[in-house]
Amino acid sequence: MSVPEEPEATAAVPLLAPVEGVPPVLDTAAEVEDAARKLAAGTGPLAVDAERASGFRYSNRAYLIQLRRAGAGSFLIDPIPVDGALAPLAETINSLEWVLHSADQDLPGLAELGLYPARLFDTELGGRLAGYERVGLAAMVERLLGRELRKGHGAADWSTRPLPDDWLNYAALDVELLLELRDAVAAELEEQGKTAWAAQEFEHVRITEPAGPKADRWRRTSGIHTLRRTRQLAIVRELWQTRDRLARLRDVAPARILPDSAIVAAATSEPKTVAQLRALPVFGGPRQRRYSREWLGAVERARALPDSELPPLTQPFDGPPPVNRWERRDPAAAARLQKARAAMTDLSTEVAIPVENLLTPDLLRRMCWDGLPRTVTNGDAPAMIEEFLVNGGARQWQRELAVPRLAAALYPTAGHPA
């Protein structure tokens, strides 16, 4: 199966504004109820998008919802003032097929508002399964529909009120062609024989619960690798947790409360007084001075910890160690991973699907590290690999493709490892 070739370059027609004009922002219960009635009278799937304020707010909530359905038109809904009055909308749209681009980004925030799709079509994921190298919304609209979407406000602070007119124009355009794009992607998937595969992937995205916060998130502080003492790591942890608490209370992105660089600077110098703290970069600024006692208290708590409660310099592994350590710790596992990766790369080329969409890299690593026995009896390898992948959440289509390749790569001779 070959990757679909890029169409010959032609000048895409710019789409500068919605054909029907930018719809008004609906921010009252009566307006939402009226929109629900109009959407109920429409036909076919529902195009859905949501704008968040990532990088500005602590929460992942939706600050604007964009909807479009054939026969009904487009709608822009401000969910903040009508948070408790979305039941009529949910009653109408929760039974429909939703069309989103990168659905996993928006579904959690919409679910917080009681909005859930009965069925899902993800145009971005569909593009990946179709073998497209560029799967951004603008790139796919240009490739499949010959139109140019000029992006520019996706990273804006959508909690701003009132929302600027050019932002609303951008938001409405995000759903203007989404239904047409869905049909074009669906036709491509059907031509490649991947419709059933895509349906399984879309359903997986639809029903998967958002991942909970990872343990020891403070270890992702930028620059933490420069620290060499466990006491310094304890300071980072206390400052990170203090910042996170303040950010959550104020619903402000943590980096806007205190940047990572300031946390690492404090861990390095270990200030003992407010004056020493404020002498450090950032801490002397007007935003941070009001929290000086909070920051210094975090440093003091870390300084007072007994050695037995200090965090280790390296994070304990949840699963296999980093791959670059495999050769030293378990050469046989390193060899298995190399063979498994080669088999999956060949399969990826044959079916024109990115290797990470065939099986997640983490699942493949876990399987090769300690998920399978070193030797198996004749004929047992496929069943054992199948069971491991089922337990790891791999979908049926993924297993049907991957199991034979992995069994041949890892157990080429019955009873003997590769």
Side-chain angles (χ1 to χ4, degrees), residues 26 42 68 94 131 176 181 196 204 239 285 290 292 294-295 332 343 400:
L26 311 180
R68 181 174 179 82
N94 285 11
E176 180 80 2
L181 182 63
H204 175 72
L239 284 170
R290 59 187 293 200
S292 291
E294 299 265 10
W295 305 134
E400 290 174 350

Side-chain angles (χ1 to χ4, degrees), residues 40-65:
T43 59
L46 177 73
V48 180
D49 192 26
E51 304 297 344
R52 293 163 288 129
S54 301
F56 297 91
R57 296 291 180 176
Y58 185 89
S59 66
N60 198 37
R61 70 183 304 172
Y63 284 93
L64 187 71
I65 302 171

Side-chain angles (χ1 to χ4, degrees), residues 226-287:
T226 63
L227 304 179
R228 295 291 180 265
R229 295 189 293 110
T230 55
R231 186 73 59 183
Q232 293 174 325
L233 293 187
I235 294 174
V236 170
R237 182 175 63 186
E238 290 292 337
L239 284 170
W240 189 98
Q241 291 173 346
T242 299
R243 179 185 70 175
D244 192 68
R245 175 176 56 81
L246 293 172
R248 184 171 58 253
L249 289 173
R250 294 179 56 196
D251 192 18
V252 175
R256 291 181 174 270
I257 298 286
L258 188 69
D260 284 2
S261 60
I263 291 178
V264 173
T268 301
S269 62
E270 302 184 32
K272 295 179 175 58
T273 66
V274 169
Q276 290 176 356
L277 177 75
R278 290 179 175 177
L280 297 174
V282 179
F283 286 100
R287 290 185 183 179

Side-chain angles (χ1 to χ4, degrees), residues 59-411:
S59 66
N60 198 37
R61 70 183 304 172
Y63 284 93
L64 187 71
I65 302 171
Q66 305 102 285
L67 306 172
R68 181 174 179 82
R69 194 181 188 197
S74 295
F75 301 86
L76 302 180
I77 297 176
D78 182 350
I80 306 305
V82 294
D83 193 354
L86 293 175
L89 181 67
E91 185 177 351
T92 296
I93 72 173
N94 285 11
S95 62
L96 302 178
E97 175 191 297
W98 291 10
V99 182
L100 294 98
H101 196 81
S102 299
D104 60 335
Q105 300 296 309
D106 291 333
L107 288 179
L110 293 168
E112 290 181 6
L113 300 171
L115 305 176
Y116 313 87
R119 298 174 302 283
L120 177 67
F121 193 103
D122 187 331
T123 50
E124 190 266 354
L125 181 52
R128 292 183 184 277
L129 297 177
Y132 299 158
E133 292 186 3
R134 300 168 61 224
V135 293
L137 180 60
M140 290 185 63
V141 164
E142 181 174 351
R143 173 178 183 146
L144 294 173
L145 304 179
R147 304 301 300 271
E148 179 187 353
L149 284 178
R150 296 180 179 176
K151 312 296 285 182
H153 301 295
D157 180 6
W158 287 89
S159 66
T160 300
R161 294 295 183 272
L163 288 166
D165 291 342
D166 56 333
W167 293 18
L168 296 175
N169 184 75
Y170 161 90
L173 287 176
D174 268 354
V175 293
E176 180 80 2
L177 298 176
L178 203 50
L179 298 176
E180 290 88 339
L181 182 63
R182 176 231 182 271
D183 292 341
V185 174
E188 182 67 53
L189 292 170
E190 180 67 25
E191 182 177 340
Q192 296 185 30
K194 298 175 178 177
T195 298
W197 301 354
Q200 293 178 43
E201 287 302 283
F202 298 158
E203 181 65 5
H204 175 72
V205 172
R206 187 186 76 87
I207 66 175
T208 297
E209 295 288 338
K214 294 183 178 179
D216 292 343
R217 288 184 296 156
W218 60 271
R219 286 187 179 272
R220 301 180 65 181
T221 302
S222 298
I224 196 173
H225 65 282
T226 63
L227 304 179
R228 295 291 180 265
R229 295 189 293 110
T230 55
R231 186 73 59 183
Q232 293 174 325
L233 293 187
I235 294 174
V236 170
R237 182 175 63 186
E238 290 292 337
L239 284 170
W240 189 98
Q241 291 173 346
T242 299
R243 179 185 70 175
D244 192 68
R245 175 176 56 81
L246 293 172
R248 184 171 58 253
L249 289 173
R250 294 179 56 196
D251 192 18
V252 175
R256 291 181 174 270
I257 298 286
L258 188 69
D260 284 2
S261 60
I263 291 178
V264 173
T268 301
S269 62
E270 302 184 32
K272 295 179 175 58
T273 66
V274 169
Q276 290 176 356
L277 177 75
R278 290 179 175 177
L280 297 174
V282 179
F283 286 100
R287 290 185 183 179
Q288 284 73 30
R289 290 173 70 91
R290 59 187 293 200
Y291 295 116
S292 291
R293 291 295 178 185
E294 299 265 10
W295 305 134
L296 188 62
V299 175
E300 290 173 343
R301 286 193 300 274
R303 189 181 294 117
L305 286 174
D307 290 348
S308 60
E309 295 182 18
L310 296 177
L313 283 175
T314 58
Q315 185 174 12
F317 297 125
D318 177 19
V323 172
N324 59 9
R325 302 182 187 179
W326 284 29
E327 186 63 43
R328 176 173 52 84
R329 294 185 57 177
D330 191 340
R336 285 197 302 277
L337 181 60
Q338 183 178 16
K339 291 179 173 65
R341 281 177 165 176
M344 296 306 296
T345 298
D346 290 343
L347 178 59
S348 170
T349 301
E350 290 180 24
V351 299
I353 293 178
V355 68
E356 63 270 18
N357 289 106
L358 290 172
L359 284 180
T360 64
D362 179 68
L363 183 59
L364 195 67
R365 288 193 296 268
R366 288 174 183 270
M367 184 187 70
C368 293
W369 180 252
D370 59 5
L372 296 174
R374 303 301 172 92
T375 60
V376 299
T377 57
N378 187 33
D380 286 347
M384 296 181 66
I385 294 174
E386 171 85 12
E387 180 181 8
F388 182 86
L389 296 183
V390 167
N391 293 334
R395 272 68 73 196
Q396 180 181 347
W397 75 272
Q398 295 175 317
R399 303 194 306 270
E400 290 174 350
L401 291 174
V403 167
R405 302 301 183 94
L406 292 172
L410 298 177
Y411 302 99

